[in-house]
Amino acid sequence: DTGVSQNPRHKITKRGQNVTFRCDPISEHNRLYWYRQTLGQGPEFLTYFQNEAQLEKSRLLSDRFSAERPKGSFSTLEIQRTEQGDSAMYLCASSFSGTGAVAFFGQGTRLTVV
Amino acid sequence: GENVEQHPSTLSVQEGDSAVIKCTYSDSASNYFPWYKQELGKGPQLIIDIRSNVGEKKDQRIAVTLNKTAKHFSLHITETQPEDSAVYFCAARDNAGGTSYGKLTFGQGTILTVHP
């Protein structure tokens, strides 16, 4: 499968725990995005990488959230001290700047904080 | 920043009918407008997109129209089938400051139900 891959697909965690999600983009894509989607809403932008550089972060991304893309390939999104309000679907997308930035999404990681 | 409004929030049609979903955007500098289909428990799947230098684009039963002056764009699905049932999202590419990184602003979604 050459699409965007996200792991895990589902994560249930207790409030206060830390969680980390992984995203493997389409191999030739240099841009990677994280979005958050709550029930009944469209995805909301969280952050963006071009290669290994994190170029933009949304105000939605509190200090408890951190994202990395260390070698310009896969990316991780960590949430520290999870809260119930963090429960959502976390979506990763990738694109190639040379093709007009058409973004392809992964299947997402569904986080439930109990 | 960009703001995208999408209507209707739910749409129910009979198989074979047409379905139209409309979106408006606020940033006149936005230049790229994709549509995504999302099935339950899955990520959004790109189904069609249009750039600001084009007024209409068609792909089999799906078409998208863009009115830059009015800042609105629409998705048209003809000859609907039960497998078209899903949530559809429009989006606009934020072009803040004239530099486009590909960040998308999404509408609220339309739940399309096609009855056999």
Side-chain angles (χ1 to χ4, degrees), chain A residues 9 31 33 35 37 40-43 45 48 55-56 91 99-107, chain B residues 32 36 38 41-46 49 51 89 93 100-109:
Chain A
R9 291 293 311 279
R31 293 179 174 176
Y33 314 84
Y35 288 82
Q37 185 178 28
Q41 300 296 317
F45 171 79
Y48 154 75
L55 297 184
E56 188 173 354
L91 293 163
T99 57
V102 176
F104 297 92
F105 282 81
Q107 300 285 45
Chain B
Y32 173 68
Y36 289 86
Q38 188 173 28
K42 296 187 176 181
Q45 176 192 5
L46 179 71
D49 56 11
R51 300 185 188 275
F89 291 98
R93 180 162 67 192
S100 172
Y101 295 127
K103 180 179 79 173
L104 297 171
T105 300
F106 284 82
Q108 298 87 344

Side-chain angles (χ1 to χ4, degrees), chain B residues 64-87:
Chain B
V64 57
T65 58
L66 171 65
N67 183 326
K68 284 173 55 180
T69 304
K71 290 191 282 188
H72 67 70
F73 56 113
S74 300
L75 177 71
H76 304 252
I77 306 174
T78 58
E79 300 170 28
T80 53
Q81 301 167 2
E83 50 265 39
D84 293 330
S85 296
V87 183

Side-chain angles (χ1 to χ4, degrees), chain B:
Chain B
E2 178 65 275
N3 183 50
V4 177
E5 297 288 332
Q6 183 172 346
H7 299 280
S9 56
T10 60
L11 180 59
S12 184
V13 299
Q14 288 297 127
E15 182 176 0
D17 288 350
S18 295
V20 180
I21 302 170
K22 299 182 179 182
C23 290
T24 60
Y25 61 98
S26 62
D27 186 355
S28 57
S30 289
N31 60 4
Y32 173 68
F33 307 92
W35 285 88
Y36 289 86
K37 175 184 180 183
Q38 188 173 28
E39 297 175 331
L40 199 62
K42 296 187 176 181
Q45 176 192 5
L46 179 71
I47 56 172
I48 196 167
D49 56 11
I50 191 167
R51 300 185 188 275
S52 58
N53 58 347
V54 174
E56 183 174 358
K57 183 176 178 181
K58 201 170 182 179
D59 182 4
Q60 300 182 349
R61 297 186 297 109
I62 296 173
V64 57
T65 58
L66 171 65
N67 183 326
K68 284 173 55 180
T69 304
K71 290 191 282 188
H72 67 70
F73 56 113
S74 300
L75 177 71
H76 304 252
I77 306 174
T78 58
E79 300 170 28
T80 53
Q81 301 167 2
E83 50 265 39
D84 293 330
S85 296
V87 183
Y88 289 81
F89 291 98
C90 62
R93 180 162 67 192
D94 195 313
N95 200 30
T99 302
S100 172
Y101 295 127
K103 180 179 79 173
L104 297 171
T105 300
F106 284 82
Q108 298 87 344
T110 296
I111 302 171
L112 173 65
T113 304
V114 181
H115 299 282

Side-chain angles (χ1 to χ4, degrees), chain A residues 20-54:
Chain A
T20 300
F21 310 140
R22 177 178 169 126
C23 171
D24 288 273
I26 294 170
S27 59
E28 62 269 25
H29 284 186
N30 57 347
R31 293 179 174 176
L32 187 146
Y33 314 84
W34 286 97
Y35 288 82
R36 180 171 68 186
Q37 185 178 28
T38 53
L39 207 60
Q41 300 296 317
E44 295 176 292
F45 171 79
L46 291 179
T47 191
Y48 154 75
F49 290 86
Q50 176 138 332
N51 300 312
E52 66 276 8
Q54 187 174 19

Side-chain angles (χ1 to χ4, degrees), chain A residues 59-104:
Chain A
R59 284 171 292 183
L60 291 174
L61 214 64
S62 76
D63 291 344
R64 298 183 297 105
F65 288 70
S66 63
E68 294 183 341
R69 194 183 183 198
K71 296 182 181 179
S73 56
F74 74 92
S75 175
T76 58
L77 177 68
E78 181 183 17
I79 309 174
Q80 295 182 327
R81 305 180 303 281
T82 51
E83 302 172 355
Q84 285 189 321
D86 297 330
S87 296
M89 173 81 91
Y90 289 85
L91 293 163
C92 176
S94 69
S95 70
F96 178 60
S97 54
T99 57
V102 176
F104 297 92

